[in-house]
Amino acid sequence: MSNGRVIELIGQKARTAIGMILAGKNNDDILNALVLDADEEQLKQLEEYREKVQEISRRIDASDEIGSLLNGFAGGYVEPGPSGVITRGRPDILPTGRNFYSLDPGRVPTETAWRVGQLLADKLIANYQKDEGAMPETVGFFWMCNDLLMADGEVMAQMMDLLGVRPVWAGNGQVKDFAVIPPEELAHPRIDLTVRTSGIMRDNFMNCIDLLDRAVRTVAVLDEPPDRNFVRKHTMLSMSDGADEDEATARFFSAPPGSYVSGVNLAVFASAWKTEKDLSDIFIAANGYAYGGGRNGKAMHAQFAADLKTVNITYNKVASDEHDLLGCCCYFSTQGGMTAASRQLSGKYVKAYYGDTREPKDINVHTLADEVRRTVRTKLLNPRWIEGEKAHGYKGATDMMKRITRVYGWQATTREVDDWVFDDITKTFVNDPEMRKFFQENNPWALEEISRRMLEANQRGLWQADDKVLEELKENYVEVESWMEDLAGEGEYQGGSIDIKTADEVDTWSANMGGIMKKVQARLGKEK
């Protein structure tokens, strides 16, 4: 029996048990229906399960979203309540219909998140040592606001542990400061960070960025040997290259104030790149604005590049199945862009890892390639997910197309996607007659985009396609292209040719990028 079938059977039994509990059935009836025997301890667990199910049901029944909305419109008082993710053990977010608040940003990381962050840091280091036989000096993070809103600051705690500092909580649970962990208590050297924060993180949680920035500055001046304090090692190296202390300790970067894009996704989707260096340059130019410690988006592209050059690992984390690395182009644009830039600047293979805290009892860190495989198998190529999307017609076709183009984006930026993924995507969405019929009837433009991206992946050498799959793809694209011609009517330009333009070929783009990259090259001692 496959793992998927086992999970499906477990889900069916759980739904049966929940339904019988809500119908008032006793434990004997439930066990008989499930064809199960239970000892005294298991009966006790079932009773606890019953209480939780009934409590959640009561909370759901108490939800009154429309009533609360109308009450609010009428100027009435709407009771406040927390927000969060119920699948991470947060039934307190129910009932809905309350005036919800996200969190107190002064309370992250929580003590529980600190313990999780320590485990993540240990697993990250252990994986790298197993893979590379060495200690990482710098970890490049994509730090998103979901870490605080959904996971109480688990990644923030992980970064603190890597730096060798710990949170200090006040009696009310707020984080009032940090404390430096003495060298003799550290299980690893103080590992450096290079962090690209999301725009929402930057705009709403600057207190958290400032706390970590102070930690970096503090660790950078500790009198410790360079092989035990990589923050100090890299800071001193930057200062020897002419950077002042404020620049040399900059570790938190994002897009300029008011901007929310990391740039690489735009280049990938526009086919406006030829080499990894093109993507690297775009990532540096679009994200070289420093934050924390009053920097407030100060342009520090040369320091950003110097930090990226030291990166050994790029990293992000999943905390809930409600979000995954194909859910938005920002994932590949940022972690993928950071990976491409770090590899290009260092001339070395930079590992890409993904943390997983979806199950608190099974905290894990694995490769980005494994995370892509997991997400593709469980969602993108899952027949039940596909059927669910098809039920939404045009919108469902668009969503499938977006996820597939993000697979392409990950491969363009990291080269961490297996050939079989592209083979199976092509067989499932393009070469299958029933799927082509669905797209033709609901959204033919989505299938044209999917087909063209698969051809582009092959033409760029990103996908070594199965010969039969590729031949069928080409034949089917001719059919899809004929749909486009019928839909477009008359026009001078038709067809699926891909015109590639880079910054060198667009005057204004070249001028903007050129000035930035000259400063970067001067700092890193490279000639164009």
Side-chain angles (χ1 to χ4, degrees):
M1 185 181 295
S2 68
N3 289 340
R5 180 56 179 158
V6 171
I7 292 172
E8 187 174 352
L9 288 173
I10 292 172
Q12 289 174 353
K13 288 183 178 292
R15 286 190 291 273
T16 297
I18 291 171
M20 295 184 73
I21 288 172
L22 295 178
K25 302 297 183 182
N26 60 40
N27 290 345
D28 289 338
D29 291 338
I30 294 171
L31 293 172
N32 288 335
L34 300 178
V35 194
L36 294 174
D37 293 321
D39 58 27
E40 187 175 337
E41 180 60 29
Q42 291 169 326
L43 284 171
K44 181 180 178 182
Q45 291 175 349
L46 179 57
E47 196 56 37
E48 292 174 354
Y49 182 63
R50 175 190 296 275
E51 292 175 3
K52 289 181 180 179
V53 168
Q54 291 172 336
E55 174 61 20
I56 291 173
S57 179
R58 283 193 292 269
R59 287 175 174 269
I60 292 173
D61 290 341
S63 299
D64 184 17
E65 296 180 8
I66 297 299
S68 294
L69 178 65
L70 296 175
N71 180 41
F73 283 161
Y77 173 73
V78 179
E79 181 184 357
S83 63
V85 183
I86 195 168
T87 54
R88 285 180 60 88
R90 291 289 307 277
D92 59 311
I93 70 171
L94 299 170
T96 59
R98 292 182 289 178
N99 184 12
F100 72 85
Y101 53 87
S102 56
L103 83 163
D104 179 350
R107 290 178 178 267
V108 290
T110 63
E111 293 188 45
T112 299
W114 168 241
R115 292 193 292 271
V116 172
Q118 289 176 296
L119 287 173
L120 287 169
D122 291 343
K123 289 179 180 290
L124 180 76
I125 294 168
N127 282 9
Y128 188 79
Q129 288 181 309
K130 179 182 177 182
D131 292 342
E132 300 296 317
M135 182 69 66
E137 294 195 8
T138 303
V139 179
F141 284 85
F142 178 26
W143 193 21
M144 306 176 71
C145 66
N146 284 351
D147 174 52
L148 306 184
L149 298 176
M150 297 173 59
D152 296 327
E154 291 171 351
V155 171
M156 183 179 179
Q158 183 179 6
M159 289 190 279
M160 296 182 81
D161 184 85
L162 291 173
L163 290 171
V165 301
R166 64 167 63 96
V168 177
W169 292 277
N172 63 358
Q174 289 199 329
V175 178
K176 63 179 183 180
D177 206 349
F178 65 88
V180 175
I181 301 173
E184 61 272 14
E185 295 181 18
L186 285 174
H188 56 76
R190 302 189 196 277
I191 294 172
D192 207 349
L193 314 172
T194 299
V195 183
R196 199 285 185 180
T197 74
S198 72
I200 298 176
M201 171 71 77
R202 171 200 66 198
D203 292 349
N204 293 279
F205 302 105
M206 186 55 69
N207 67 301
C208 298
I209 295 174
D210 282 339
L211 180 70
L212 287 174
D213 176 74
R214 286 198 297 113
V216 168
R217 293 175 188 262
T218 300
V219 169
V221 297
L222 295 175
D223 186 12
E224 295 173 345
D227 63 337
R228 298 298 301 172
N229 187 335
F230 297 124
V231 182
R232 178 172 176 77
K233 174 184 176 180
H234 300 149
T235 299
M236 297 303 292
L237 179 62
S238 290
M239 294 181 72
S240 70
D241 288 337
D244 60 28
E245 185 176 346
D246 186 60
E247 186 175 3
T249 54
R251 296 294 186 273
F252 297 87
F253 298 86
S254 191
S259 178
Y260 297 85
V261 65
S262 57
V264 173
N265 56 322
L266 303 180
V268 168
F269 289 150
S271 301
W273 64 284
K274 291 181 179 178
T275 67
E276 184 181 77
K277 184 179 184 302
D278 294 328
L279 298 179
S280 171
D281 289 354
I282 291 167
F283 184 75
I284 294 167
N287 301 283
Y289 300 87
Y291 294 86
R295 296 184 183 92
N296 299 328
K298 183 178 180 181
M300 290 189 180
H301 295 88
Q303 184 60 44
F304 186 39
D307 290 349
L308 288 169
K309 187 177 179 180
T310 70
V311 168
N312 307 108
I313 301 166
T314 64
Y315 179 86
N316 198 358
K317 182 178 76 68
V318 60
S320 166
D321 281 319
E322 295 177 31
H323 299 270
D324 61 62
L325 81 181
L326 299 181
C328 177
C329 58
C330 65
Y331 289 96
F332 82 76
S333 184
T334 304
Q335 187 184 4
M338 179 179 283
T339 303
S342 298
R343 289 173 179 173
Q344 176 67 29
L345 292 166
S346 68
K348 300 175 182 177
Y349 178 73
V350 172
K351 301 289 292 187
Y353 287 154
Y354 230 81
D356 184 348
T357 59
R358 292 173 301 138
E359 294 292 338
K361 295 180 181 179
D362 186 26
I363 295 168
N364 187 28
V365 174
H366 46 248
T367 64
L368 171 65
D370 282 338
E371 184 64 15
V372 172
R373 294 180 193 116
R374 184 190 72 82
T375 305
V376 166
R377 285 189 178 116
T378 57
K379 188 170 289 185
L380 184 60
L381 295 177
N382 184 332
R384 294 183 66 179
W385 181 83
I386 293 171
E387 289 303 312
E389 291 297 316
K390 287 171 69 175
H392 295 279
Y394 180 93
K395 178 62 164 59
T398 300
D399 289 344
M400 288 187 276
M401 176 271 291
K402 287 181 177 180
R403 284 184 164 271
I404 291 167
T405 59
R406 291 162 192 159
V407 173
Y408 168 81
W410 277 113
Q411 183 68 343
T413 53
T414 69
R415 308 299 198 273
E416 299 286 344
V417 183
D418 299 328
D419 288 331
W420 70 261
V421 173
F422 288 97
D423 285 339
D424 284 6
I425 286 173
T426 303
K427 287 188 287 187
T428 300
F429 295 95
V430 185
N431 293 351
D432 180 79
E434 287 299 316
M435 283 299 293
R436 286 202 306 279
K437 181 180 178 182
F438 164 77
F439 279 106
Q440 184 180 19
E441 293 176 350
N442 292 275
N443 189 342
W445 301 275
L447 186 58
E448 193 279 332
E449 175 74 13
I450 293 170
S451 307
R452 180 162 40 82
R453 286 299 175 197
M454 295 300 100
L455 290 171
E456 182 177 0
N458 177 255
Q459 292 167 10
R460 287 183 180 270
L462 301 176
W463 168 35
Q464 303 304 313
D466 175 87
D467 291 340
K468 185 174 183 295
V469 171
L470 182 60
E471 188 60 34
E472 290 183 12
L473 169 62
K474 291 177 178 178
E475 292 174 1
N476 290 322
Y477 184 74
V478 172
E479 178 187 355
V480 175
E481 191 176 41
S482 72
W483 304 346
M484 297 297 102
E485 291 176 354
D486 292 341
L487 291 166
E490 296 182 1
E492 183 178 352
Y493 298 106
Q494 294 183 30
S497 63
I498 300 167
D499 297 324
I500 298 174
K501 291 185 179 293
T502 66
D504 293 336
E505 300 168 86
V506 181
D507 291 341
T508 54
W509 189 10
S510 177
N512 291 336
M513 291 274 291
I516 290 171
M517 296 316 297
K518 282 181 181 178
K519 295 178 182 178
V520 170
Q521 289 152 6
R523 169 70 179 275
L524 300 183
K526 290 185 176 181
E527 295 182 1
K528 189 172 180 179

